[in-house]
Amino acid sequence: MYRYESGAPNGVFGAFTYQGNGVSCTSSEAPQTAPSPAAPTSDTSSQCTEKVTNADGSIGYTCQSSEVFKNPGAFTCGTVDTGSGAEFTCVAKTPSPKLVDKQVTTQVTEKTNADGSKDTTTTTTTTKTSCSGVDSCSPTTTTNVSNDSTKADGSAGDTTSTCTGSGCSTPESEAEEEQEDEEGPTVSGDGVCTATPACSGDAIQCAILRQTHDARCKDEEFRNLDDAQSKIQTALNSEFGGSDYQPLTATAGNTHTLDGMLDTSTRFSKSCPMLPVVSYTWVGGAPGALDLNVAGLCTYLEWMGYLMVAFAMRGGAEIIARGFV
């Protein structure tokens, strides 16, 4: 920013400088973004050619196999100032991205000698690329040559083998591989439903294992009819085992009594109630009284109660009889 107090030009002037991030896109290119998360994938394939007879009489064929395992893992991507400019980069998190690409080519040559013996030469070339994290890959190439001979009588002959390349195993590398296998993911207790399985390793794979275990155990419990029947029977016996649900048994005279099954407790008594005397005053002021205790009234009311019970029983019998029509 510049300011001139005198002279020409007179006023305030500013100069601005912009620095880009070093990334530009053409009209056909999309801007750089972080890869979208995905589940681990595994792909295997293999194929062999038909046997071919060579000029020296030997028979040969070639087989190829491929194994690719990809685990995108977790990572954070963004633009980072490297001092010489901004670069788009990614930093691995836990679990880190992992790639294992294994390509195997096997060439087999079989030759039968004049004395009946047989020589077999097997050449196996293995190219393996292992990546862990971001921009961290280590390719190895190994060539194994095995010479096997079979005697004319069919017994095994001499066998020799050689290995060349960075992937050949040594006692130290074999010990490291065994240690990696011991420290790898472990699972225990997934075959029983009485406890939750123990899992160590990838948190996502362990969560999938627990959900699968829970769904399988619930399905087995649903299909176990004998266990379900036993639980229902136990619950019913506990619910209806009280004195209120005892079976109705006949007496010595082959009769059934319902006294214990009917609730006869009530606020009313079977004896004839004594109705209160109603007192009143006439227009002229003379007192008067009305006594409703008429002789024989309770007898008529008792017979009316019997009739109501009889009509109620008849109505109940009609309702029951309709179910058999």
Side-chain angles (χ1 to χ4, degrees), residues 278-290:
V278 179
S279 300
Y280 58 91
T281 303
W282 290 100
V283 179
L290 178 62

Side-chain angles (χ1 to χ4, degrees), residues 106-280:
T106 304
Q107 296 178 342
V108 181
T109 302
E110 301 174 349
K111 184 177 181 180
T112 303
N113 302 315
D115 59 354
S117 61
K118 184 178 180 180
D119 295 331
T120 303
T121 302
T122 304
T123 303
T124 303
T125 303
T126 303
T127 302
K128 184 178 180 180
T129 303
S130 300
C131 302
S132 179
V134 180
D135 297 333
S136 178
C137 297
S138 58
T140 58
T141 301
T142 305
T143 301
N144 288 283
V145 179
S146 176
N147 298 304
D148 301 327
S149 62
T150 304
K151 297 180 181 180
D153 59 357
S155 60
D158 297 333
T159 299
T160 61
S161 61
T162 58
C163 178
T164 57
S166 58
C168 294
S169 60
T170 60
E172 292 79 6
S173 62
E174 291 178 356
E176 291 179 357
E177 291 180 357
E178 292 179 357
Q179 183 177 2
E180 291 179 357
D181 293 339
E182 292 177 357
E183 296 177 354
T186 59
V187 176
S188 62
D190 59 327
V192 296
C193 295
T194 56
T196 303
C199 176
S200 64
D202 189 355
I204 297 177
Q205 297 298 327
C206 289
I208 295 175
L209 171 67
R210 294 188 184 96
Q211 292 180 359
T212 305
H213 176 269
D214 184 61
R216 177 175 59 82
C217 292
K218 288 183 178 179
D219 181 70
E220 291 181 358
E221 182 180 0
F222 175 76
R223 296 177 182 275
N224 191 354
L225 299 180
D226 294 337
D227 190 18
Q229 182 179 0
S230 177
K231 290 182 179 179
I232 294 174
Q233 185 175 359
T234 302
L236 292 176
N237 292 337
S238 176
E239 180 68 22
F240 297 101
S243 58
D244 295 338
Y245 298 98
Q246 295 301 320
L248 184 63
T249 57
T251 60
N254 198 21
T255 58
H256 294 80
T257 176
L258 304 179
D259 294 342
M261 300 180 63
L262 298 178
D263 185 9
T264 58
S265 61
T266 177
R267 57 182 294 187
F268 300 106
S269 174
K270 293 181 63 177
S271 61
C272 185
M274 179 63 70
L275 300 177
V277 178
V278 179
S279 300
Y280 58 91

